[in-house]
Amino acid sequence: MLFSELGLSEQLLKAVAEQGYETPTPIQAQAIPVILQGRDVLAGAQTGTGKTAGFTLPLLQLLQGQPVPQKPRPVRVLILTPTRELAMQVYESVRTYGKHLPFFAEAIFGGVSINPQIQKIQRGTDIVVATPGRLLDLIQQQHLDLSKVEHFVLDEADRMLDMGFIRDIRRIIALLPSKRQNLLFSATYAPEISALAEQILNDPVEIAVAKRNAAADTVSQLVYGINREYKRELLSYLIGNGHWQQVLVFVRTKHGADRLAKQLIKDGIRCAALHGDKSQGARVRALEEFKNGSITALIATDIAARGLDIDQLPHVVNFDLPQVAEDYVHRIGRTGRAGAEGQAISLVDPEEAYLLAAIEKLLKRQIPRVDDTGYPNVSLAVTNSKPQPKPAQPNKPARRPQNGRPGEAAKRAPNSRKPRPQAAKPR
Ligand code: AMP
């Protein structure tokens, strides 16, 4: 299938060609024609599948086919995203694909001054990409009117619900005209998503490109059973010994992200933390440094990392396992993208064994274990579904390494004398 067979305009085909895309991805091939027909769509697609172009290209084309409205231009396309990062990414995509078209787009999200956003909106804009909170602020202050919206996109709807946006979403939908096109994208289909889809969508075309709750086949997954106190050292070792250039590390809390980033910096690894308490400037900077290779590791919480578009990320590490099994699929979806091979490593403390069990139940298979971690062996067996209490005295390393100073791990050459090539040795 070629882009030219999808019925897209010359200006859009030119923008696509300038991006170097040769063929449409499966979600694009399926979604573009039905969106062009004006149908509602329920799409099961993760980040990395090309879903953004899958809805942006046909929506731009639909705008192109309509008469240019009077000034100031009303908002005709509203795209809601869960995070600022995703809002920025989608906004950039709209600009990229629409660069040969005369439309205006704005990104609206919190954490930055509201005034420039107000000024831009007052000039009139065709397309708004927004996170729910700031959008509602602007509406309440009467700077934004959604009564002319013709196309509504809910991107990463599952994450929106996880983040507690359901009431905001309902309030926003109540402000839209009832006659409109609705597109709902979600990586997973929890029952709440089906309920939301039923409320919002009108006779939708259902499209699923990734198997439901399936992990990408191109990602090799491994589990290291390891006591929490050794996780940092093992991670440093894996990065240094494997000469990893780019690794996204997931942690559970913002505080944990900051702490791990500080520790890795002491180990000589260039890294930054990305989480919701960072200023917008710091988040953008961290992401840019990670994308351009000036830092090796990005330590992120789930919410901050959601939807990050980082091409062909080779390594993802679950420093902490996610509390919700579906998040594991999202996390490892950052790697092995667009057919590239990726590696997803989970460092699992016995207390997290029940979380691992839930993930494996969801995946319907066991993730291979690395038996010989170089650290005291731990059992990841669960006897019930509750958190397993940690033994009062964690196992101490069986023996001491010859050269195992803290932080040493990252600096070791890959072929330095190590009895166990797969992992660091205990201190
Ligand atoms: P998304 O899933 O929308 O976040 O897109 C993931 C990545 O795929 C982005 O970096 C896009 O630039 C890229 N992409 C989108 N469509 C195509 C295509 N047809 N061919 C190659 N890359 C694409």
Side-chain angles (χ1 to χ4, degrees):
M1 158 94 49
L2 300 171
F3 273 105
S4 54
E5 295 169 55
L6 292 174
L8 293 170
S9 70
E10 191 191 312
Q11 292 90 338
L12 291 168
L13 290 176
K14 188 169 171 209
V16 164
E18 283 165 0
Q19 287 306 297
Y21 303 164
E22 287 172 3
T23 50
T25 64
I27 184 79
Q28 291 162 1
Q30 293 178 63
I32 291 173
V34 288
I35 297 174
L36 284 177
Q37 285 166 17
R39 296 285 305 269
D40 280 9
V41 168
L42 172 62
Q46 320 181 358
T47 301
T49 52
K51 67 180 166 66
T52 315
F55 63 78
T56 306
L57 289 167
L59 290 179
L60 284 165
Q61 168 123 349
L62 290 172
L63 290 190
Q64 214 185 337
Q66 291 167 11
V68 179
Q70 305 252 307
K71 282 185 181 172
R73 295 181 173 208
V75 180
R76 289 181 287 161
V77 175
L78 175 65
I79 303 168
L80 281 189
T81 70
T83 63
R84 313 169 201 181
E85 279 76 15
L86 188 59
M88 275 197 300
Q89 261 169 219
V90 172
Y91 166 73
E92 287 303 330
S93 296
V94 171
R95 286 178 53 101
T96 302
Y97 303 131
K99 69 196 264 202
H100 302 297
L101 294 171
F103 301 123
F104 297 109
E106 292 306 335
I108 306 280
F109 45 78
V112 292
S113 166
I114 199 166
N115 291 330
Q117 294 178 352
I118 293 173
Q119 281 165 13
K120 285 182 190 156
I121 286 170
Q122 281 172 343
R123 275 183 267 163
T125 181
D126 304 281
I127 301 164
V128 163
V129 186
T131 54
R134 177 58 64 89
L135 186 76
L136 283 167
D137 286 348
L138 286 168
I139 293 168
Q140 267 153 14
Q141 296 177 27
Q142 308 204 322
H143 295 298
L144 193 65
D145 171 21
L146 299 181
S147 67
K148 301 281 190 303
V149 169
E150 294 165 17
H151 312 276
F152 172 57
V153 181
L154 203 53
D155 197 10
E156 311 227 337
D158 47 353
R159 176 55 46 150
M160 295 258 202
L161 297 194
D162 289 352
M163 289 172 70
F165 283 139
I166 186 69
R167 288 183 56 199
D168 285 352
I169 293 172
R170 291 220 172 95
R171 285 172 63 199
I172 292 166
I173 288 173
L175 301 168
L176 303 177
S178 52
K179 188 170 174 304
R180 56 171 202 264
Q181 182 179 32
N182 301 287
L183 313 175
L184 189 151
F185 288 79
S186 184
T188 52
Y189 286 121
E192 302 80 46
I193 293 291
S194 308
L196 184 68
E198 208 154 294
Q199 286 163 18
I200 299 180
L201 304 176
N202 179 18
D203 186 23
V205 177
E206 288 189 34
I207 301 172
V209 291
K211 228 170 81 201
R212 194 178 291 188
N213 295 339
D217 292 341
T218 48
V219 182
S220 69
Q221 303 172 56
L222 286 175
V223 161
Y224 284 72
I226 182 161
N227 281 318
R228 175 163 299 282
E229 57 265 42
Y230 304 124
K231 281 189 180 185
R232 193 270 305 151
E233 194 176 315
L234 174 57
L235 176 62
S236 287
Y237 175 72
L238 289 170
I239 295 173
N241 196 55
H243 292 288
W244 291 359
Q245 300 300 317
Q246 209 184 26
V247 52
L248 180 58
V249 180
F250 284 96
V251 293
R252 200 162 48 79
T253 64
K254 297 168 189 174
H255 178 63
D258 285 333
R259 194 176 49 216
L260 181 61
K262 277 194 198 127
Q263 289 169 333
L264 291 184
I265 287 167
K266 280 194 193 145
D267 286 353
I269 294 168
R270 288 164 301 144
C271 69
L274 184 80
H275 57 66
D277 281 355
K278 295 268 175 194
S279 70
Q280 182 61 13
R283 288 165 75 163
V284 170
R285 204 164 46 247
L287 204 53
E288 265 167 19
E289 286 177 346
F290 187 54
K291 283 187 181 183
N292 71 23
S294 29
I295 58 172
T296 305
L298 190 63
I299 320 295
T301 55
D302 280 298
I303 286 174
R306 177 71 182 174
L308 291 186
D309 172 26
I310 303 162
D311 280 342
Q312 306 189 351
L313 189 56
H315 304 281
V316 165
V317 170
N318 294 308
F319 193 82
D320 299 313
L321 281 186
Q323 296 294 311
V324 178
E326 278 85 2
D327 280 348
Y328 177 86
V329 181
H330 294 310
R331 287 180 177 190
I332 74 165
R334 311 302 102 190
T335 179
R337 299 172 61 181
E341 293 237 334
Q343 194 183 41
I345 286 180
S346 299
L347 309 184
V348 185
D349 178 271
E351 275 190 10
E352 297 172 296
Y354 76 105
L355 297 172
L356 180 64
I359 290 165
E360 292 183 328
K361 191 168 165 211
L362 179 73
L363 299 177
K364 296 199 177 65
R365 65 189 166 99
Q366 206 197 36
I367 304 169
R369 311 295 199 249
V370 176
D371 292 328
D372 189 4
T373 63
Y375 290 86
N377 283 337
V378 297
S379 164
L380 297 179
V382 265
T383 46
N384 60 35
S385 59
K386 296 240 171 67
Q388 300 300 295
K390 214 174 164 77
Q393 281 293 311
N395 294 333
K396 287 287 169 204
R399 61 200 143 70
R400 302 181 74 80
Q402 299 92 341
N403 58 351
R405 273 200 299 122
E408 195 90 312
K411 295 168 206 151
R412 279 180 209 133
N415 54 0
S416 65
R417 246 170 33 85
K418 285 198 50 66
R420 291 181 181 165
Q422 269 179 316
K425 292 185 65 166
R427 264 183 284 150

